[in-house]
Structure formats: C-alpha cells, structure tokens
Amino acid sequence: MAAGRLKPGWRLLAGLGVVLALWFGAPLLLRRMDFFRVRRIEISGARYRAPAAVVDALGLARRASVFDDLGRLSARVRTLPGVERAEVGRRLPGTLLVTLEETEPVALTPRRGGGLAAIDQAGRLLPYDPAAAAPDLPIAASADPLLARVLGLVRDAEPALFARLASGTRVREDVVLEADGRRLWLAGTATAEDIRAVTAVAQDLSRQRRDWRELDGRFAGQVIVRGLEPAA
C-alpha cells in the first residue's frame, strides 16, 4: 500500500466528517448570504386573523434568512390566540411559507361595550374581527359554554342545518335554536344522534309539505312536534 494512502475505514470516517461539516455548517454559511434574505412571506389558512398579525408573530429580524430556525418561527405563530396549528417552510431563494389552522368559531355574541365577538365551541371569545372576516354564523345570546357546545355539535353533525341557524339561547339546562323562523329545543347534553333525529323529522315534514312551529328533541327516542298544521 502506498505511503500516505488512507485505509478504507479511515476514508469512510473522513467522508462522514465532511458530510457532517456540510450538514451543520452550510445553514450557518447560507444564513449570512444576502441572496437568501427573507423578501416575501406567503400565508395560507388565515381566514380570521389579519396577515399583519401573523407577520408580527414571526418576529423576523431586519436581515432574517430563510435558513433561520423554522421550528422556532412555527412556535411563535402557534402562540397567536385562535391558532390551533402552524408550520413555517421555505421556498428558495427568499420566501417563507406560513401554513396555519385557526380555531373555527361557532357563533357571534354581543360584546361588552357594543359590537359582536366570535366564540369557539367551548364558549371562549376569539380575537377575530367579525366586521373584517364577516363569518356567516348564528347569534348566541351569550358566550355560554353549554350553548356553544350544542352549536358546535350541530355544525359537525348537520352542516346544512347549521347554515340555516339564525340564533341560539340557553334556557336553564336546555338550548333553543332558531332556524327559518322555527324553534328547535335540544338538551344541553344532546348528542349527534339527537340532532340527526330532529333533522330527520324536519325533513319528513317538509316532504309532506306540512308546516310546524317547534321541534323538541330533549326526550330520548322521540321528537315532539308543536304547532303542526293539519295535512292538506
């Protein structure tokens, strides 16, 4: 073997050393290059939060690079109220890609001092501006967790019915919803099956072309119809 030639094992270790040096050193080197400075931020998934709020949450330095720690940037966006999940990616040479998922509101409720505020399925106020986002949501009489829970359940179980809801009110341990000028009574402990049962009765009455004033789904295994017009 010629003098000075590395053995295979040493050549492998040397190669690994070069790879590791490039792996850990390249981002540090690239981060200093003006070519990779952040010049553009693309945000997707922001329906209710203003893009400016997302940009502010990133907290980018004046000479921020797309090779900065993306995990740290993602964590900053996730601290925004109303943001469930957020990920920050990069597109070379100078674009950050921010993808987020927001907490979905279930209703608007009167705000102290005037105006309306959005609430989530737990009855928590969300930092959304209804005037800017203009969500088509029912009006909840108050930010009540029981009422908000039932509204969220209707949204998930019967989206078509939820789209027609105008308002919701808590009455003791029950919930009264208004849709198309009619009332739906539901227990605060209502399940998706209870909501589907009420919807099925409403659809059946519609097929029969019979009008009604109120459907009461608070009782297990039955839906009570009130204000039913006689069959034609």
Side-chain angles (χ1 to χ4, degrees):
M1 182 172 64
R5 182 179 296 176
L6 292 175
K7 295 181 180 180
W10 287 108
R11 286 202 300 271
L12 178 60
L13 289 175
L16 288 174
V18 172
V19 170
L20 289 173
L22 291 173
W23 180 267
F24 290 104
L28 295 175
L29 177 64
L30 296 173
R31 197 175 298 160
R32 298 191 182 101
M33 298 175 63
D34 287 337
F35 185 66
F36 296 112
R37 297 299 176 201
V38 175
R39 295 183 291 277
R40 180 183 177 88
I41 301 172
E42 295 183 6
I43 301 171
S44 61
R47 296 177 54 199
Y48 307 110
R49 297 306 305 260
V54 179
V55 173
D56 290 344
L58 288 169
L60 297 177
R62 186 174 62 86
R63 294 177 60 81
S65 168
V66 294
F67 286 100
D68 288 343
D69 187 345
L70 299 183
R72 182 176 299 176
L73 296 179
S74 300
R76 289 175 182 172
V77 177
R78 285 194 289 269
T79 64
L80 274 175
V83 172
E84 296 278 345
R85 283 177 283 279
E87 295 296 334
V88 179
R90 65 172 68 91
R91 184 172 67 227
L92 301 180
T95 301
L96 287 180
L97 308 172
V98 182
T99 303
L100 54 88
E101 182 179 335
E102 297 169 307
T103 303
E104 286 291 332
V106 298
L108 300 177
T109 192
R111 186 196 300 270
R112 290 181 181 177
L116 296 172
I119 60 173
D120 67 7
Q121 194 167 349
R124 296 171 297 202
L125 294 176
L126 294 169
Y128 305 154
D129 181 2
D136 186 13
L137 295 169
I139 302 299
S142 63
D144 182 86
L146 185 144
L147 173 59
R149 172 195 170 273
V150 173
L151 286 170
L153 198 61
V154 174
R155 179 195 62 191
D156 296 339
E158 292 290 343
L161 171 60
F162 182 77
R164 302 200 311 274
L165 292 182
S167 63
T169 306
R170 176 171 177 171
V171 179
R172 294 184 292 278
E173 297 305 313
D174 302 325
V175 167
V176 178
L177 307 178
E178 183 178 334
D180 304 323
R182 304 180 179 98
R183 299 203 306 175
L184 307 173
W185 276 81
L186 294 166
T189 56
T191 65
E193 288 72 21
D194 296 329
I195 293 166
R196 293 190 185 102
V198 169
T199 302
V201 171
Q203 292 172 342
D204 186 55
L205 292 173
S206 178
R207 284 191 293 269
Q208 298 176 33
R209 299 182 182 277
R210 302 184 68 183
D211 198 11
W212 50 274
R213 177 174 50 84
E214 183 175 287
L215 296 181
D216 192 337
R218 292 175 293 172
F219 309 100
Q222 59 182 325
V223 175
I224 297 175
V225 183
R226 299 189 179 96
L228 180 65
E229 288 188 352

